[in-house]
Amino acid sequence: MRRRVFELRNGVLRQFAATLAVSSLVLLAGLSGASAQSGTPAPDQGKAATQPADAAKDAAQNQRRTDEFAEAAQVINGPAGNPECVWLGRRVVRLMWRDDLDTAFRHLDLYDRFGCPGGHIQAAFRCLTRFGAQIDPKVAETLDSRVHACWINPASQPQQATAAASQPAAPTTGNSQPQPAASPSPATSPAPAPQK
C-alpha cells in the first residue's frame, strides 16, 4: 500500500514539474518575442553606437587631465605640484565647497599620507571662497575649472575686486573736507486752513 502511495505521489510531482517546465519555456518565448517587437535596440546595437562616442569623450577627458597635471607640475614647485597631490588636493577642496566634510577629511588623510602640503589646500580653498559668486552650482564645469585655477594660483583675485582696487581714488584738494550728501528736502505740507 505504501508503495502505491509513493508511486502516486512521485507521478504527481513529475507531472507538476513537467507542466512547470513547459509553462516556463512558453512564458520565456513569449517575452523574448514581445521584446523583439517592441522596437528597443538590442544591447549589442546600443553598445556599438555609443562606444565610439564614449571612447572619444574619455580620450579627450584623459588628455585634459594630463594637461592639467603637467601645468600644475610646471607652475607649482614642490610636492603640491605632484600629480597625486594635485588630484587629491583639488578633490578635497571641491568636497569642502560642497559641504561634504566627512569625505573631504578622509581624502585629506590620504593627501597627508602622500606627504602633500596641507597649507596649499587651505590657500586654494580661501581662493575658491573669494570666487564664490562666480561659481554656478548647476554647472559642474565652473566649479572644477575654478578649483583648478585656485590650485595653480591660490593668490588669484576675482576680476571685479581687482578692477575696483586698481581704479584710483577721486583726487581731493588740500584742506577741503568731503561734502556731506545732500539730504532730500521734506515734502511741503498743505497750509492750514484759516480759522473763522
Side-chain angles (χ1 to χ4, degrees), residues 26-169:
V26 168
L27 182 64
L28 286 176
L31 287 177
S32 65
S35 67
Q37 293 176 357
S38 68
T40 57
D44 295 337
Q45 293 172 352
K47 288 180 184 177
T50 59
Q51 192 174 18
D54 288 343
K57 189 183 292 186
D58 289 343
Q61 188 176 19
N62 287 338
Q63 183 62 39
R64 182 181 54 85
R65 285 182 185 162
T66 304
D67 293 343
E68 287 175 352
F69 292 146
E71 177 187 10
Q74 290 174 352
V75 173
I76 302 172
N77 293 330
N82 293 343
E84 64 274 11
C85 294
V86 172
W87 188 79
L88 282 168
R90 290 187 319 185
R91 197 168 176 98
V92 167
V93 170
R94 188 178 313 115
L95 288 167
M96 287 170 51
W97 179 261
R98 291 183 179 157
D99 289 334
D100 189 0
L101 298 179
D102 292 333
T103 309
F105 288 142
R106 281 185 261 140
H107 281 78
L108 192 58
D109 289 341
L110 283 172
Y111 182 82
D112 290 337
R113 284 194 183 177
F114 279 106
C116 303
H120 199 84
I121 287 182
Q122 182 180 2
F125 187 73
R126 184 179 299 127
C127 170
L128 188 64
T129 58
R130 287 189 293 247
F131 287 94
Q134 298 176 357
I135 297 173
D136 185 7
K138 295 178 183 174
V139 181
E141 233 7 81
T142 58
L143 176 62
D144 292 341
S145 64
R146 184 50 53 200
V147 167
H148 179 70
C150 284
W151 188 263
I152 297 295
N153 184 10
S156 63
Q157 297 286 331
Q159 290 179 355
Q160 296 164 345
T162 57
S166 66
Q167 293 176 352

